[in-house]
Amino acid sequence: MCFMLPRLGPPLAIAVLAGPILFGLAGTILPAFGYLPALGETDFTLAHVEKLAVQPGIVMSGLISLAAGLVTTAVSLGMVMLFVAGWAGTRIFSRIQHLVSPLLSVPHAAAAFGLAFLIAPSGMIARIASPWLTGWERPPDLLIVNDPIGLSMMAGLIVKEIPFLLLIALAALPQVDLLRTRALAASLGYGRIAGFLHGVWPPLYRQMRLAVFAVVAFATSVVDVAAILGPTTPAPLAVRLVGWMNDPELSMRFFASAGALLQLCVTAAALLIWIALERLGAAMLRRLRRSGLRFRRDAWLRRAAIAAMVAVAITVLAGLAALAIWSFAGLWQFPGALPETFTAKTWMKTAPRLAAPLSVTLIVAALSTALAIALTLLCLMRENETGRIAGRRALLFLYLPLLVPQAAFLFGLQLLFVFTGGVASLPALVLAHLTFVMPYVFLSLSDPWRAYDRRYEAIAAGLGKSRSATLLRVRLPMLSRAILVAAAVGFAVSVGQYLPTVLIGAGRLETITTEAVALASGGNRRVIGVYAFLQMLLPAAGFAVATLVPALVFRNRRAMRV
Amino acid sequence: MKKLLVAAAAFAAMTLQALAGEPDPEKWQEVLADARGETVYFNAWGGAENINAYLEWAGQELEKRYGVKLVHVKLDDTANAVAKVVAEKAAGRGEGGTVDLIWINGENFSSMKRQQLLFSPGWAEKLPNWRFVDVENKPTIRTDFTIPVEGLESPWGMAKLVFFHDMAHTDPASLPKSAQDLLAWAKQNPGRFTYPQPPDFTGSSFLKQVLSELAADRSVLLKPVNEASFEKTVAPLFSYLDELNPLLWRGGKAFPQNYPAMKQLLADNEVDIIFAFNPSEASSAIANGELPATVRSFTFPGGTLANTHFVAIPYNAAAKAGALVAADFLISPEAQARKQDPQVWGDPTVLAISKLDATDRARFEALDLGVATLKPDELGLALDEPHPSWMDRIETEWKRRYGAAN
Amino acid sequence: MADQQLFLDGVSIALNGRVLLAVSHRVEVGEVLTVMGPSGSGKSTLLAYIGGFLDRAFSATGKVFSGAEELTVLPAEERHAGILFQDPLLFPHMSVGGNLLFAIPPSIKGRAARSALVQEALEGVGLAGAASRDPDTLSGGQKARVALARVLLSAPRMLLLDEPFSKLDAELRSQMRELVFAKARTSRLPVVLVTHDEADAEAAGGPVIRVGQ
């Protein structure tokens, strides 16, 4: 009976991954052309698109989004590539990997706040260096945060995308024979980085490609980071979109839908340009290969790569430290490097108001993660039953929610939920989160699941154990650590969700993240410090549980440690 | 038989209740009874922690006294709540709406009134605590941005545009006394002034302040925008802003997103002059350790904008009785006095102190308004808010000129 | 359930239409049938087919009987085909005793009776008192013996050996061979051994089928 369930796994997973996107896109694209029967409009028209085209600053907004997508991806991918090329397999590599990996669980908004607190003219760096070094008695009038071309926004995205791409690269590394290829290239006289580029990078990149596309799509359409660090005159497209969607005028719904369509086009354009850049890069690599240049003296570049990685980690960690200090600050005037007084007042005043968003955060994260784990396990069990491993097409489905810009389909989905009365309901919010949690849980759990030695199951069957007993008493316990880690990843993803929560929760269901971003506009650094600190603490707690529970339960089982 | 009778009576009671439909503030005991157990979703701007904390307190009191649960839905723009009601109307959700109470005035009130999205007929003047409201001396309580209120929203607090500076950094003698003066001051002190980016309401208010000061004929502003003369009327405003923009903080290339963000700029000594729509805001900020104790207030002798902010109930609110009870509680002398305390929020009351009994009067007299708060007679003249249609047009024009680098 | 001969009735296994092996043989109780072949010859698929966990990529025909009962119509867990792989594959999340308890059929009830069986089985492979140990702290030879004790405790109908000695060093290997074959004989089990090591076949002393040549 319970073994009929895995059969349902793949169709359910596809429904969870693709359903909201298809409905959402339909709900976005049709109104863009004037079709929204609920408002009595059924005539197709280009009027809304035309109105969008003459909106002040629309070209600039689109260009900023496009540039953010490409620059963020190129810089973070380049840094990860150089770092892996120069150091993979060394002890220092694994040390830095341990420094960078936790950054993955820091929600984007928290990292962005931290960066803003660091680099603003009145931020930590300026405070520490003033006035003894800079002579600044008051903050210089420099446009750093919210700069018009979005450099600080890109920096904020880069420090968060590097840990993501590094993790993806690490997951793909075992499938390329790095060490032997490196030895071979070295024996031919190639520098380490050049040898890597010629021998390892092409197959490694092929494995990472969808994840890289996801970074392009994310960076072109991000809302929270852009709202915190991005330009405001004009703001990037996705930020303006959210504003339009909330406009009281009904006609703005059509206009906002047209904007969402533009967002879709901008992301698609960024992906196409990226694919063109891939071709260009491959061609350059081929030319380089034909030239036979060895690039033996690459020590400086390798050192630069490691310095950049360390800088990224330190930036995020220092930003988070600055957040923590602000949350305990009394009056803290420029250029004081530390507050004049410390006080727990902010925490005490904020604490009573944390309970509600905290419980919504925890409930939604727990439910969406549990569902994602269950669904993933069903799919993986189905894989074992059919003997067919989910291939490229399944992978595309998994990446779908990460490739289609959130802003482009969540509006339509919100409209759908409004008309079905589901908006601001917990199930709708859990479902919306599930769409984004599912890919990460699946990607995180599928490798350990597939790497499992199935002879254990043959042995259990030979011992006369039923399939469910084998699953419950052998396979799941043996994979408990992997399952908990996948759950922690899913939990962190859910905690960090901003736009789905804002739109589907409709302001009635608030999480720590939506509260934090809402407060961002208020500029109260102390309270932002409290929320962002919590935002970072929750995923960290998730990973701590995922590490500690198996360690405790299996404290006398050496082989379960790994 | 007896059972049947009881059932019939229960059924009749249910029908009656259903027929009774909307709560009637004239029958306050029934309103209180209906309200018990209701949850009121209060959609209010959530960008300032002191206000959030005040609402937290109000919620606790409402729960304790009337069994009404108040949930603060924190908005970054009141327009979002209006949009929700609009969307619900579009979806045919004529009752059981998700917004029960909105913090509102001006443009958003005008828009909701025009689209008939408000609970009517007028209810505000029938609330028990209305008898304390100072309608005689505060004309903006019955006329919101030139729009007649007609009891469709209940006053909550008074606002007047007031400027702040830090004595430790700026000499009080050098401060500007008018918009023109401010431009001259900015030339002397480039990069030391800014305003929140319109359509933030504090930022838009600055534009209206300048417009009101510079307009050749102030009375046109009290009528809806006249397309034929719009350009001419606003020309002085935009030539002023053209001159001011490069002199602003960050050269006018970035703006703080709202008042609290601008307040942080004063705290960080990034700017010298800021302004708020609340005369005791500086004292509150000092009390909360957000601004140094050397901050002081000033206004323009020629007058600054003044208005009232309100709470309104959407026509489809799910908890109208609860919303009425909440609105009434918010204008109770106790809630108003607490709100005016700069340690809490510092928002001036809508009540007439003279109408209160001795105990309640004492609550107000006990308030220490703080060193940075001007006395009522120092606040200067009050300028009327222009008709809401001006706001929209000026914001659009502003966005085109300074908000987009096309 | 022991004491039944194993009958491979026209078993033939193919991959992509190419026949890897074809066997028809009666394995008597206490007898060891050795299937010899180089690695990659598909000899292990025979054990997978008997045990009921053959990969779907292979196609197989023929029947397998234990005594009069046809196994090939039964699911894997009802075939009671005890198997030993070249790795001991002790369940790492259970203690040594836990591994053995897990193997004892549910028909044996009562905690005392079950743990008595565990003690007895451990003594039988020379590991008395190891029940509470973490399997990962055992030596390679000890692990192999626990694996043997575990499979025997499950009251199998037969023993399937998939190169179980190949990862042991020479000395341990011959000890282990003797132990396994002796236990199979005393438990009166038919045994199928798959190996590429001639010494295994010699030690087994039974009929030998060569595949993949």
Side-chain angles (χ1 to χ4, degrees):
Chain A
M1 158 63 197
C2 88
F3 280 87
M4 286 301 288
L5 278 175
R7 199 178 291 268
L8 295 176
L12 270 179
I14 288 175
V16 159
L17 294 166
I21 293 170
L22 289 180
F23 283 114
L25 281 180
T28 301
I29 293 171
L30 292 176
F33 295 106
Y35 183 86
L36 188 54
L39 295 186
E41 295 289 335
T42 50
D43 296 330
F44 284 92
T45 166
L46 284 176
H48 309 296
V49 178
E50 282 161 7
K51 190 175 157 210
L52 180 73
V54 298
Q55 185 72 14
I58 194 69
V59 176
M60 191 63 189
S61 290
L63 283 178
I64 292 169
S65 295
L66 188 74
L70 295 173
V71 172
T72 300
T73 314
V75 174
S76 19
L77 184 66
M79 283 172 71
V80 167
M81 179 186 82
L82 286 179
F83 178 59
V84 175
W87 301 91
T90 66
R91 194 177 307 159
I92 195 158
F93 182 85
S94 63
R95 222 173 272 161
I96 289 187
Q97 174 197 333
H98 284 127
L99 187 68
V100 174
S101 304
L103 304 184
L104 191 64
S105 69
V106 177
H108 279 85
F113 283 128
L115 188 67
F117 285 14
L118 220 53
I119 62 171
S122 59
M124 266 325 260
I125 295 174
R127 281 168 192 268
I128 288 171
S130 299
W132 59 274
L133 180 66
T134 59
W136 294 334
E137 289 294 343
R138 56 192 202 186
D141 190 8
L142 298 173
L143 188 48
I144 299 176
V145 173
N146 309 123
D147 62 295
I149 56 168
L151 292 178
S152 51
M153 169 175 87
M154 292 176 201
L157 286 167
I158 287 168
V159 296
K160 269 298 294 170
E161 296 313 325
I162 281 180
F164 174 68
L165 287 175
L166 181 62
L167 209 77
I168 295 286
L170 287 174
L173 262 183
Q175 289 161 60
V176 292
D177 198 344
L178 174 84
L179 293 180
R180 266 187 286 180
T181 313
R182 177 184 289 165
L184 181 73
S187 72
L188 295 174
Y190 280 93
R192 203 184 259 191
I193 290 178
F196 177 89
L197 280 184
H198 293 314
V200 182
W201 183 244
L204 187 67
Y205 181 76
R206 223 169 290 135
Q207 301 272 343
M208 298 173 60
R209 199 162 175 235
L210 280 174
V212 173
F213 286 1
V215 172
V216 174
F218 180 81
T220 50
S221 62
V222 62
V223 175
D224 49 3
V225 176
I228 295 162
L229 292 170
T232 56
T233 57
L237 187 56
V239 176
R240 296 180 76 184
L241 255 181
V242 176
W244 295 334
M245 206 60 199
N246 286 324
D247 197 283
E249 293 297 326
L250 262 187
S251 60
M252 287 297 280
R253 292 251 146 181
F254 297 99
F255 179 67
S257 291
L261 186 64
L262 176 62
Q263 176 69 64
L264 203 60
C265 295
V266 166
T267 302
L271 284 171
L272 287 177
I273 295 175
W274 184 261
I275 291 171
L277 289 176
E278 280 178 350
R279 298 256 160 90
L280 190 71
M284 277 166 56
L285 207 55
R286 269 198 303 277
R287 271 192 67 170
L288 209 60
R289 209 171 304 154
R290 254 177 263 140
S291 75
L293 290 174
R294 270 11 183 200
F295 298 102
R296 221 165 303 171
R297 259 172 248 173
D298 63 2
W300 63 273
L301 191 55
R302 285 166 46 204
R303 258 178 235 135
I306 211 161
M309 284 320 255
V310 173
V312 163
I314 288 180
T315 301
V316 177
L317 295 176
L320 295 176
L323 282 173
I325 298 177
W326 266 107
S327 77
F328 287 104
L331 189 64
W332 188 3
Q333 285 179 283
F334 192 86
L338 281 175
E340 282 146 52
T341 51
F342 282 94
T343 167
K345 205 165 145 189
T346 314
W347 277 92
M348 274 152 58
K349 279 169 75 179
T350 316
R353 264 159 296 126
L354 290 175
L358 196 61
S359 59
V360 173
T361 309
L362 292 176
I363 290 170
V364 172
L367 287 179
S368 58
T369 303
L371 284 173
I373 294 274
L375 217 47
T376 300
L377 286 175
L378 289 183
C379 288
L380 291 170
M381 279 155 66
R382 184 67 187 154
E383 264 187 11
N384 288 152
E385 276 179 24
T386 59
R388 281 198 312 264
I389 291 226
R392 286 194 73 80
R393 250 198 24 227
L395 209 57
L396 210 61
F397 267 115
L398 274 178
Y399 270 100
L400 200 57
L402 311 183
L403 291 177
V404 180
Q406 290 192 345
F409 74 91
L410 281 171
F411 289 146
L413 194 64
Q414 183 201 30
L415 217 56
L416 191 78
F417 277 129
V418 167
F419 291 130
T420 56
V423 78
S425 72
L426 201 64
L429 188 58
V430 170
L431 199 66
H433 274 221
L434 179 57
T435 301
F436 299 101
V437 170
M438 178 75 192
Y440 289 97
V441 167
F442 193 97
L443 293 175
S444 158
L445 190 51
S446 56
D447 280 343
W449 179 274
R450 287 172 188 153
Y452 179 77
D453 190 341
R454 298 201 64 200
R455 292 179 304 170
Y456 281 108
E457 290 184 330
I459 283 184
L463 297 178
K465 297 296 167 186
S466 70
R467 282 202 284 170
S468 55
T470 306
L471 180 73
L472 293 176
R473 297 189 52 194
V474 178
R475 189 160 189 173
L476 292 185
M478 283 178 71
L479 289 170
S480 57
R481 179 184 298 268
I483 291 170
L484 284 171
V485 166
V489 169
F491 187 82
V493 169
S494 172
V495 168
Q497 289 301 317
Y498 172 68
L499 202 54
T501 319
V502 164
L503 291 176
I504 308 301
R508 300 267 296 255
L509 293 169
E510 291 180 310
T511 62
I512 296 294
T513 297
T514 58
E515 291 275 89
V517 178
L519 285 166
S521 64
N524 185 333
R525 294 190 183 146
R526 293 167 185 84
V527 183
I528 291 172
V530 169
Y531 278 93
F533 190 71
L534 268 180
Q535 230 203 338
M536 164 195 80
L537 208 64
L538 286 177
F543 281 99
V545 168
T547 319
L548 289 179
V549 166
L552 213 63
V553 171
F554 299 121
R555 62 190 175 281
N556 293 325
R557 300 286 173 264
R558 214 168 55 183
M560 291 295 291
R561 251 170 252 167
V562 188
Chain B
M1 187 60 195
K2 210 170 174 184
K3 250 186 212 163
L4 202 68
L5 270 179
V6 173
F11 182 73
M14 269 165 57
T15 324
L16 272 180
Q17 206 171 13
L19 280 178
E22 309 282 56
D24 179 0
E26 308 253 26
K27 298 171 185 154
W28 191 247
Q29 287 311 315
E30 283 173 26
V31 172
L32 285 178
D34 287 353
R36 191 160 288 277
E38 283 191 332
T39 299
V40 174
Y41 288 95
F42 185 13
N43 285 238
W45 183 67
E49 270 309 281
N50 52 348
I51 302 176
N52 296 351
Y54 175 76
L55 285 178
E56 189 75 16
W57 169 82
Q60 284 162 8
E61 293 301 310
L62 276 165
E63 174 108 59
K64 208 157 55 192
R65 298 181 192 187
Y66 305 107
V68 173
K69 192 167 183 299
L70 188 77
V71 178
H72 179 190
V73 178
K74 298 187 188 70
L75 306 175
D76 51 4
D77 187 346
T78 302
N80 296 4
V82 183
K84 258 187 271 179
V85 179
V86 169
E88 285 170 3
K89 184 173 191 184
R93 198 163 168 182
E95 51 192 53
T98 59
V99 181
D100 297 307
L101 199 62
I102 304 186
W103 184 11
I104 198 168
N105 74 356
E107 186 192 13
N108 290 309
F109 172 69
S110 156
S111 154
M112 286 191 86
K113 188 182 175 195
R114 196 177 61 240
Q115 299 181 66
Q116 298 185 323
L117 296 173
L118 293 170
F119 176 39
S120 58
W123 47 270
E125 305 197 359
K126 299 173 191 160
L127 296 177
N129 282 322
W130 175 264
R131 63 184 188 277
F132 304 125
V133 173
D134 190 8
V135 280
E136 292 78 10
N137 300 311
K138 300 188 168 81
T140 51
I141 286 177
R142 277 186 165 144
T143 313
D144 183 7
F145 287 48
T146 75
I147 307 291
V149 171
E150 294 164 357
L152 295 173
E153 51 180 357
S154 168
W156 190 21
M158 300 298 295
K160 188 165 193 307
L161 197 66
V162 176
F163 295 86
F164 309 129
H165 72 105
D166 186 346
M167 289 194 305
H169 302 301
T170 35
D171 173 12
S174 69
L175 295 171
K177 293 189 165 50
S178 67
Q180 280 301 356
D181 239 17
L182 178 64
L183 181 57
W185 181 91
K187 283 179 188 157
Q188 305 285 316
N189 303 280
R192 303 297 294 175
F193 177 73
T194 188
Y195 52 92
Q197 181 166 357
D200 171 78
F201 86 101
T202 309
S204 299
S205 298
F206 175 74
L207 303 185
K208 287 186 290 183
Q209 171 73 30
V210 175
L211 177 65
S212 300
E213 282 193 48
L214 302 183
D217 176 8
R218 214 172 276 173
S219 68
V220 279
L221 300 178
L222 303 182
K223 296 183 211 104
V225 169
N226 175 347
E227 290 303 329
S229 60
F230 176 77
E231 290 292 336
K232 199 168 137 264
T233 314
V234 299
L237 168 67
F238 286 104
S239 68
Y240 177 96
L241 291 178
D242 283 343
E243 237 184 299
L244 180 65
N245 209 53
L247 304 169
L248 292 174
W249 174 79
R250 306 288 187 254
K253 288 197 174 67
F255 292 84
Q257 291 303 294
N258 52 27
Y259 168 72
M262 185 167 66
K263 173 165 66 179
Q264 186 65 49
L265 294 181
L266 182 66
D268 288 343
N269 195 12
E270 293 215 25
V271 298
D272 286 331
I273 294 177
I274 65 166
F275 53 93
F277 233 122
N278 174 353
S280 47
E281 171 53 40
S283 296
S284 292
I286 294 172
N288 283 320
E290 292 167 335
L291 289 178
T294 43
V295 167
R296 291 294 178 271
S297 308
F298 67 99
T299 61
F300 293 166
T304 54
L305 289 180
N307 66 41
T308 303
H309 48 97
F310 300 81
V311 294
I313 304 173
Y315 80 108
N316 66 344
K320 290 201 185 80
L324 285 170
V325 172
D328 186 57
F329 175 74
L330 292 177
I331 53 170
S332 67
E334 187 188 350
Q336 286 276 311
R338 187 179 170 89
K339 184 163 65 79
Q340 189 157 3
D341 183 351
Q343 299 278 350
V344 177
W345 175 358
D347 192 46
T349 184
V350 296
L351 306 183
I353 308 299
S354 59
K355 292 183 180 176
L356 303 178
D357 65 24
T359 354
D360 285 332
R361 207 175 303 162
R363 291 181 198 276
F364 282 94
E365 279 156 6
L367 292 180
D368 174 9
L369 294 185
V371 281
T373 310
L374 297 171
K375 298 200 180 62
D377 58 332
E378 297 169 326
L379 276 174
L381 297 174
L383 296 184
D384 284 331
E385 286 277 357
H387 186 274
S389 56
W390 288 92
M391 181 97 145
D392 196 31
R393 289 299 311 273
I394 294 169
E395 281 169 2
T396 311
E397 187 62 18
W398 186 93
K399 212 183 292 177
R400 196 180 64 76
R401 286 167 181 255
Y402 315 107
N406 249 10
Chain C
M1 271 186 286
D3 228 352
Q4 304 272 4
Q5 60 165 218
L6 176 69
F7 178 31
L8 308 176
D9 183 8
V11 172
S12 166
I13 299 176
L15 178 63
N16 302 328
R18 189 171 66 90
V19 175
L20 298 173
L21 56 85
V23 185
S24 248
H25 193 90
R26 276 179 204 278
V27 190
E28 298 299 336
V29 166
E31 184 189 65
V32 180
L33 168 68
T34 303
V35 180
M36 290 276 303
S39 47
S41 61
K43 57 189 186 299
S44 294
T45 58
L46 176 63
L47 301 187
Y49 184 62
I50 300 172
F53 46 88
L54 185 65
D55 193 299
R56 281 174 182 242
F58 298 94
S59 55
T61 56
K63 294 175 178 174
V64 178
F65 291 88
S66 171
E69 192 175 6
E70 186 185 343
L71 295 185
T72 24
V73 297
L74 297 176
E77 64 262 30
E78 285 169 34
R79 296 187 185 188
H80 298 280
I83 186 162
L84 287 178
F85 291 104
Q86 47 181 281
D87 299 297
L89 299 175
L90 300 179
F91 302 126
H93 57 297
M94 302 178 186
S95 65
V96 169
N99 267 278
L100 298 185
L101 272 175
F102 184 71
I104 300 173
S107 55
I108 296 166
K109 299 205 192 309
R111 267 183 73 155
R114 291 173 71 86
S115 48
L117 273 180
V118 167
Q119 297 308 331
E120 200 181 308
L122 282 174
E123 280 162 28
V125 293
L127 281 167
S132 64
R133 287 183 67 179
D134 174 5
D136 201 51
T137 60
L138 302 180
S139 71
Q142 289 171 324
K143 282 182 192 164
R145 279 183 279 156
V146 174
L148 176 64
R150 179 174 68 179
V151 72
L152 292 173
L153 268 180
S154 71
R157 285 173 164 145
M158 73 205 78
L159 209 49
L160 306 178
L161 307 177
D162 192 354
E163 307 204 32
F165 315 119
S166 62
K167 280 200 178 165
L168 300 170
D169 59 45
E171 195 181 340
L172 265 178
R173 193 181 304 171
S174 58
Q175 281 175 16
M176 211 39 216
R177 264 190 213 120
E178 276 167 38
L179 184 64
V180 171
F181 295 142
K183 289 279 180 189
R185 268 194 300 276
T186 53
S187 307
R188 301 192 50 76
L189 295 170
V191 180
V192 181
L193 167 67
V194 157
T195 184
H196 63 266
D197 184 350
E198 293 285 353
D200 283 350
E202 261 170 55
V208 176
I209 298 176
R210 292 179 192 275
V211 298
Q213 284 166 335

